[in-house]
Amino acid sequence: MATQAFGVRGLRSAVAAGLGMAAGALVAMAAHRQAVASLCVRLEHVERAARAQQHTNLANQQRMHWELLSKAMDDSQLAEVLDLYEVPVSPKQRRQYIFANALYTNLLFYYRIGNLSRDEFFKHARGIFQSPIVREYWYSTRQQRASISDTDEAELGLMVDELLRQMEEADTEEWWVIGEPPDA
């Protein structure tokens, strides 16, 4: 009988040890799951902070761009620095082109920070490019845009080029329906 009692006690001890190990494994898995969830929350926080910093950087860049353009519009000697157009322009045209650049760049920054979808960008561009002066500016800066590739700015520039082509070919005065909005 002593052997049977020892066998039952040994079996109980083995079961208890197995249950202890299983409980330990469950506790470890729960702790691991908690650590992973905590890391995910921290990662989301870091990603949000990075996006916020990127928006702040873009806003600061836009402000600096506007300040530089404003100085050039106010001072014809400074405006000459920006005269990189394909054809000679008068001081009046240069100021207008600088302002056209500010309009387009503002639209571009709004898109970049997520305030406009691609479709909204297209619709706003269709509006500002109704101005013959803005179109002249666009055509006179073609070679500057040609040096930009593989960026959202390059893609949007090509989209505007296509929009202008469609506007030139259109046989309607209803400019707000001209052009095919982008798919993406």
Side-chain angles (χ1 to χ4, degrees):
M1 284 256 210
T3 337
Q4 281 183 334
F6 177 72
V8 170
R9 269 188 268 148
L11 182 60
R12 284 186 190 155
S13 296
V15 168
L19 287 175
M21 285 178 58
L26 286 174
V27 168
M29 283 177 31
H32 178 72
R33 184 173 291 170
Q34 177 78 18
V36 168
S38 177
L39 286 173
C40 286
V41 168
R42 288 158 91 186
L43 181 60
E44 285 178 28
H45 176 72
V46 167
E47 287 173 345
R48 273 194 308 271
R51 282 191 301 272
Q53 184 61 49
Q54 182 181 21
H55 287 176
T56 299
N57 293 345
L58 281 169
N60 288 336
Q61 179 62 39
Q62 183 179 16
R63 188 175 15 266
M64 176 64 78
H65 184 257
W66 175 248
E67 288 174 15
L68 291 169
L69 291 180
S70 293
K71 288 180 180 196
M73 284 189 289
D74 293 341
D75 185 331
S76 62
Q77 291 177 339
L78 293 178
E80 289 177 17
V81 173
L82 296 175
D83 195 344
L84 303 171
Y85 309 111
E86 293 182 18
V87 296
V89 296
S90 69
K92 176 184 174 184
Q93 284 176 304
R94 190 177 302 120
R95 284 179 53 128
Q96 291 171 331
Y97 286 8
I98 291 169
F99 188 74
N101 175 272
L103 283 175
Y104 180 75
T105 303
N106 186 57
L107 188 59
L108 179 64
F109 279 126
Y110 261 54
Y111 172 78
R112 283 183 172 163
I113 64 173
N115 285 356
L116 292 175
S117 67
R118 195 172 178 89
D119 184 58
E120 292 168 322
F121 176 93
F122 177 84
K123 291 174 182 175
H124 284 282
R126 185 169 50 196
I128 66 171
F129 281 94
Q130 291 308 302
S131 165
I133 295 168
V134 176
R135 288 194 304 271
E136 285 174 23
Y137 155 76
W138 191 257
Y139 293 134
S140 70
T141 56
R142 183 175 289 138
Q143 98 187 60
Q144 292 172 24
R145 285 189 310 284
S147 66
I148 302 170
S149 62
D150 299 328
T151 65
D152 59 343
E153 185 175 356
E155 288 177 22
L156 294 172
L158 292 173
M159 184 175 71
V160 169
D161 288 339
E162 178 60 20
L163 170 63
L164 292 175
R165 186 192 63 72
Q166 292 174 11
M167 289 170 66
E168 289 169 0
E169 293 175 355
D171 61 354
T172 180
E173 295 296 318
E174 297 173 340
W175 61 266
W176 54 92
V177 296
I178 297 172
E180 288 295 320
D183 293 334

